[in-house]
């Protein structure tokens, strides 16, 4: 089915609307706190929508829907539903400590808790991973979606996404990012619901869908499943979720910009509730694409774009394609802003120019954002030919995320863990995970490898802490110019979200 001129107009109009609103909302961003953390004035609804919109990208609509289309089926939903529980943990335990410390970046917390070397190591790891893994994957998979929808050349699509997202991120900083996320996230969620409803009609309704795809509608898979055996729920899947939602600058930057602890917690719990719905508007359509077009689609990464192209009416196709394109841009702009923040605050200001004034920091941040766009656009074509963008992302984050998770858990909950433990833990994460993943014996899936790596590193950190404990526990700095009171209903809502997640697992076990 060909796109109509109305589709093309709707696509262009939506993208222009997002860019204009983002630039207007972020005018007069002159100080470093304004540019990098939106002046620490974000309300809960902006935080929540921005978390989801930044999270949902081509990695989901191309990667996760593709996994649903393929052999994994609904099992990949564990990344979404476990995320809901993880967000509750982040809201209650991580966020209050981060906001009380007044940090700009997650690596900055490691200097307060350990030392400057620990901060620099994490900052360097995150910088490399953002450019060669996260940004490159978003650009490449987004370009693949544009090719499936519009027939656009992949290289041209990569530079188109990079230039558009980079333009308003360079200008407006975090506030531009969260406002673009709000618009694109709302359109994406509504559009995703519409695609699911229309696809259900196409397969004959909910009854025929459930009966015809019974084998694909399980989140608990056998022990011998190559990607998602049930054992990942014991440890493995918690590591990428804790890292991604609690310790990943790309995600946590909008929570660090909250106007208070309570507003940040409400925003995180709002995002957790939305995460429970994501599999129904991304993975379910991937399974429906298999039912409708299984014999026609040869590349699983094209399942969702082909489904949209065939079931949406004229006009709505253009808007939904724009929302999908916006999802790619919203993830990329968040990564660009976060990578720029880490480079500017953790490396440039901390080590190269400690006396830089706010305007110079903003100028450096804008310049570094532009450089990141160029590097990521040049690197992205090298990913051509990979079987699954989702697996690529998860596999390579596994080199650094177990060490970071272990170091933060000990840093927050074990008060006498010494700085050397943090350094050893983050550096040792790479070879331990590499051995588990690439050793010449039959290995486990990458998710379980993350869990095993994290447990090994925590044992190492425990031994170091026992042998060389700090003489006195570290007292973290305390920020006093924002409201540090937790939301009164955070625990009740948290328990409700956890209970809802358990119910979903029981239904689709």
């Amino acid at each position: 089915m060909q796109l109509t001129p109305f589709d093309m107009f709707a696509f262009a109009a939506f993208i222009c609307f997002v860019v204009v609103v983002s630039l207007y909302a972020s005018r007069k961003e002159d100080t470093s706190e304004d540019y990098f953390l939106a002046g620490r004035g974000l309300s809960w609804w902006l935080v929540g929508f921005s978390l989801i919109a930044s999270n949902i990208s081509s990695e989901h609509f191309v990667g996760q829907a593709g996994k649903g289309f393929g052999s994994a089926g609904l099992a990949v939903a564990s990344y979404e539903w476990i995320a809901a529980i993880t967000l509750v943990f982040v809201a209650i335990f991580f966020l209050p400590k981060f906001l009380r410390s007044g940090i700009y970046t997650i690596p900055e917390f490691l200097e307060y808790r350990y030392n400057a070397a620990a901060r620099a190591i994490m900052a360097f790891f995150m910088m490399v991973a953002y450019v060669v893994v996260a940004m490159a994957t978003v650009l490449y998979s987004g370009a693949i979606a544009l090719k499936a929808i519009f027939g656009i050349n992949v290289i041209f699509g990569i530079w188109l996404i990079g230039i558009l997202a980079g333009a308003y991120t360079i200008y407006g900083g975090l506030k531009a990012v969260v406002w673009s996320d709000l618009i694109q996230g709302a359109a994406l969620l509504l559009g995703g619901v519409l695609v699911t409803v229309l696809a259900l009609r196409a397969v004959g309704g909910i009854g025929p869908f459930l009966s015809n795809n019974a084998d694909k509608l399980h989140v608990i898979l056998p022990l011998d499943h190559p990607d998602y055996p049930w054992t990942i729920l014991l440890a493995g899947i918690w590591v990428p979720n804790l890292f991604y939602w609690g310790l990943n600058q790309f995600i946590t930057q909008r929570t660090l910009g909250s106007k208070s602890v309570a507003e940040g917690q409400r925003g995180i719990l709002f995002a957790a509730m939305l995460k429970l719905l994501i599999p129904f508007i991304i993975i379910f359509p991937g399974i429906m694409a298999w039912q409708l077009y299984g014999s026609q689609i040869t590349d699983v990464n094209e399942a969702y774009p082909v489904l949209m192209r065939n079931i949406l009416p004229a006009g709505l196709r253009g808007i939904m394609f724009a929302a999908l394109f916006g999802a790619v841009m919203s993830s990329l702009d968040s990564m660009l802003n976060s990578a720029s923040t880490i480079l500017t605050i953790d490396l440039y200001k901390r080590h190269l120019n400690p006396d830089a004034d706010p305007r110079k920091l903003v100028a450096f941040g804008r310049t570094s954002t532009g450089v990141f766009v160029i590097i990521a656009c040049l690197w992205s074509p090298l990913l051509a030919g990979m079987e699954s963008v989702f697996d690529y992302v998860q596999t390579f984050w596994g080199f650094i995320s177990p060490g970071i998770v272990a170091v933060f858990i000990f840093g927050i909950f074990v008060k006498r863990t010494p700085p050397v433990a943090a350094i050893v833990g983050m550096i040792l994460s790479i070879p331990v995970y590499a051995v588990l993943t690439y050793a010449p014996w039959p290995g486990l899936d990458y998710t379980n490898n993350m869990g095993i790596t994290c447990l090994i590193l925590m044992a190492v950190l425990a031994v170091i802490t026992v042998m060389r404990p700090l003489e006195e526990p570290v007292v973290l700095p305390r920020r006093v110019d924002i409201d540090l009171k937790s939301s009164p209903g955070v625990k009740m809502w948290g328990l409700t979200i956890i209970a809802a997640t358990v119910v979903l697992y029981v239904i689709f076990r």
Side-chain angles (χ1 to χ4, degrees):
M1 183 179 294
Q2 296 297 317
L3 295 174
T4 67
F6 189 39
D7 288 320
M8 303 298 288
F9 173 78
F11 180 90
F14 184 86
I15 296 300
C16 289
F17 176 70
V18 169
V19 173
V20 170
V21 170
S22 301
L23 294 180
Y24 178 79
S26 61
R27 66 197 186 282
K28 300 180 180 179
E29 301 295 289
D30 296 325
T31 71
S32 55
E33 190 167 67
D34 285 339
Y35 187 77
F36 295 114
L37 292 179
R40 296 191 191 267
L42 299 181
S43 300
W44 67 268
W45 50 276
L46 269 175
V47 171
F49 261 116
S50 186
L51 283 171
I52 294 300
S54 296
N55 166 240
I56 300 174
S57 181
S58 50
E59 178 189 337
H60 289 73
F61 283 96
V62 173
Q64 271 197 6
K67 297 295 284 187
F69 179 93
S71 62
L74 190 60
V76 72
S78 285
Y79 276 93
E80 307 304 308
W81 290 341
I82 296 299
I85 299 177
T86 304
L87 282 165
V88 173
F89 184 89
V90 170
I92 295 174
F93 296 105
F94 283 9
L95 181 67
K97 291 180 172 58
F98 292 161
L99 288 182
R100 287 188 179 101
S101 299
I103 57 177
Y104 278 73
T105 71
I106 297 300
E108 186 179 359
F109 183 84
L110 290 185
E111 179 169 7
Y112 293 148
R113 175 55 185 85
Y114 295 110
N115 60 15
R119 175 182 180 178
I121 291 170
M122 181 180 176
F124 176 75
F125 283 174
M126 296 297 290
M127 295 283 300
V128 174
Y130 278 143
V131 175
V132 303
V133 179
M135 292 183 203
T137 304
V138 166
L139 283 167
Y140 177 74
S141 55
I144 290 293
L146 288 180
K147 178 185 177 183
I149 296 166
F150 298 110
I152 293 176
N153 177 271
V154 171
I155 302 298
F156 178 79
I158 287 171
W159 285 95
L160 177 64
I161 296 169
I163 291 171
L164 283 175
Y168 63 78
T169 306
I170 290 170
Y171 175 81
L174 183 61
K175 191 173 287 186
V177 169
V178 297
W179 276 97
S180 70
D181 288 350
L182 174 65
I183 301 168
Q184 291 161 169
L188 204 58
L189 292 174
L190 293 174
V193 171
L194 179 62
V195 169
T196 302
V197 171
L198 293 178
L200 275 174
R201 287 177 54 187
V203 299
I206 187 67
F209 168 71
L210 295 176
S211 60
N212 291 329
N213 300 283
D215 291 343
K216 285 181 170 287
L217 296 175
H218 297 286
V219 288
I220 309 291
L221 295 184
L223 185 62
D224 60 352
H225 193 276
D227 296 321
Y228 303 104
W230 64 266
T231 51
I232 65 173
L233 298 174
L234 299 178
I237 204 165
W238 298 96
V239 173
N241 271 288
L242 275 172
F243 167 76
Y244 185 90
W245 292 104
L247 307 173
N248 178 6
Q249 184 71 24
F250 153 54
I251 288 296
T252 57
Q253 188 153 343
R254 57 261 311 118
T255 64
L256 296 179
S258 304
K259 65 173 62 175
S260 67
V261 170
E263 287 290 296
Q265 288 176 326
R266 293 188 189 107
I268 292 174
L269 294 181
F270 177 49
M273 288 187 284
L274 293 177
K275 287 298 284 183
L276 296 178
L277 305 177
I278 298 304
F280 299 107
I281 64 174
I282 293 180
I283 302 171
F284 268 38
I287 298 173
M288 294 176 206
W290 176 82
Q291 183 177 346
L292 293 170
Y293 315 112
S295 61
Q296 304 171 30
I297 299 174
T298 57
D299 183 355
V300 298
N301 293 322
E302 295 184 0
Y304 200 96
V306 169
L307 180 68
M308 286 197 308
R309 189 176 63 203
N310 285 316
I311 68 169
L312 287 176
L316 284 178
R317 282 197 303 268
I319 294 175
M320 187 56 189
F321 292 151
L324 177 58
F325 185 72
V328 176
M329 291 205 304
S330 66
S331 289
L332 181 62
D333 61 27
S334 298
M335 293 172 189
L336 286 169
N337 186 247
S338 298
S340 171
T341 303
I342 289 176
L343 178 61
T344 303
I345 303 300
D346 290 310
L347 300 176
Y348 175 73
K349 179 175 173 56
R350 180 64 181 83
H351 298 285
L352 300 178
N353 193 356
D355 299 323
D357 60 44
R359 289 183 179 274
K360 186 171 291 187
L361 292 177
V362 171
F364 183 84
R366 285 175 169 150
T367 302
S368 62
T369 301
V371 172
F372 286 136
V373 169
I374 295 171
I375 295 174
C377 287
L378 292 173
W379 182 267
S380 294
L382 300 179
L383 306 184
M386 61 183 174
E387 183 176 345
S388 170
V389 293
F390 188 77
D391 287 348
Y392 172 82
V393 172
Q394 297 301 328
T395 298
F396 280 90
W397 275 117
F399 284 100
I400 64 173
S401 59
I404 292 173
V405 169
V407 164
F408 269 87
I409 288 176
F410 268 73
I412 291 174
F413 299 107
V414 184
K415 303 299 184 182
R416 295 181 185 270
T417 300
V420 65
I423 296 171
V424 170
M426 285 189 287
I427 294 177
L428 193 61
S429 179
I430 296 174
V432 171
Y433 178 79
V435 169
L436 290 173
T437 303
Y438 299 110
W441 60 71
L444 297 171
D445 60 282
Y446 58 80
T447 309
N448 274 318
N449 286 339
M450 290 187 209
I452 295 171
T453 300
C454 189
L455 292 175
I456 292 173
L457 296 175
M458 290 179 73
V460 171
L461 266 63
V463 170
I464 295 175
T465 302
V466 170
M467 295 180 63
R468 298 180 58 180
L470 293 173
E471 294 183 3
E472 298 291 335
V474 174
V475 178
L476 296 172
R478 191 174 176 89
R479 199 178 153 77
V480 295
D481 55 345
I482 61 172
D483 188 352
L484 298 176
K485 294 180 180 178
S486 291
S487 174
V490 64
K491 292 182 179 179
M492 180 192 71
W493 281 107
L495 289 174
T496 302
I497 291 167
I498 293 172
T501 307
V502 172
V503 169
L504 288 170
Y505 269 94
V506 171
I507 293 173
F508 294 102
R509 61 188 183 279

